[in-house]
């Protein structure tokens, strides 16, 4: 019998003993990857994940196919599933896509329609400020992604636009977790400028601030170093 492979990802997964749905597996694998706690190239052994969740290999494979479609997981013959690796060029391309999508959303829906919209965005920014001060990159990046619909510039974008912007945020999130503390604080200052423009209904200033922000994102973000992938076949 071949030796059991040990993956750092397995130790990060939280398992609920009350029964596990495929959606739960997808959500938990996604959470671990997006938290940046496991580097690109980390193996995702299907059998071990299935055993951990108390399910067959089928829902695990289906979950990994979903994450592959989101760009978070890669599959290679005779190697199996691994956490996806972004090259510097791919990361730069994703920021171009984000800038295009978010600028279009800001141009079409950058003005808050209700006081509640402004209050919600201000509260999200306050929570992000707390994470910056506590030097908590996982919480900061997670809130930034999860609050996409409340971000200055696209609170009223279409559901399709929201979904696409969230997807691009997710794909760049692992790299953002490892941004230097000072750079994260600088990016948050960009958010403050964008927030001021949003709450004052100044769409032109919001667009200009978003352009500066994406330039800064591209400057400070670097791909997370990849771990060496095992060449031994695994269940795939």
């Amino acid at each position: 019998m071949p030796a059991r492979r040990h993956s750092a990802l397995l130790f990060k997964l939280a398992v609920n003993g009350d029964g596990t749905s495929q959606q739960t597996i997808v959500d938990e694998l996604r959470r671990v990857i997006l938290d940046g706690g496991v580097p690109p190239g980390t193996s995702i052994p299907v059998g071990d994940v299935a055993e951990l969740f108390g399910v067959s290999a089928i829902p695990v494979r289906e979950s990994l196919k979903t994450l592959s479609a989101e760009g978070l997981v890669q599959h290679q013959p005779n190697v199996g599933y691994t956490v996806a690796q972004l090259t510097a060029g791919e990361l730069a391309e994703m920021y171009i896509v984000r800038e295009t999508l978010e600028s279009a959303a800001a141009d079409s829906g950058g003005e808050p329609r209700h006081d509640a919209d402004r209050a919600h965005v201000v509260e999200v920014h306050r929570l992000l400020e707390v994470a910056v001060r506590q030097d908590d990159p996982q919480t900061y990046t997670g809130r930034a992604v999860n609050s996409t619909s409340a971000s200055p510039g696209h609170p009223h974008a279409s559901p399709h636009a929201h979904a696409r912007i969230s997807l691009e945020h997710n794909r760049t999130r692992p790299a953002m977790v490892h941004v230097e503390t000072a750079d994260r604080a600088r990016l948050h200052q960009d958010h403050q400028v964008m927030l001021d423009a949003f709450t004052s209904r100044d769409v032109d200033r919001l667009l200009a601030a978003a352009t500066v922000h994406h330039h800064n994102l591209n400057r400070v973000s670097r791909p997370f170093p990849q771990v060496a992938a095992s060449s031994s076949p695994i269940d795939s």
Side-chain angles (χ1 to χ4, degrees), residues 184-197:
R184 184 175 298 104
R186 178 66 186 87
L187 293 173
H188 190 63
Q189 291 175 6
D190 293 345
H191 290 161
Q192 181 65 63
V193 176
M194 296 166 67
L195 176 63
D196 292 342

Side-chain angles (χ1 to χ4, degrees), residues 91-92 95 176 179 182-184 186-187 190 212-222:
L91 190 59
Y95 282 127
M176 284 303 302
V179 166
D183 288 329
R184 184 175 298 104
R186 178 66 186 87
L187 293 173
D190 293 345
V212 171
H213 179 60
H214 283 93
H215 172 77
N216 288 333
L217 276 172
N218 226 336
R219 179 178 57 80
V220 305
S221 297
R222 297 291 182 272

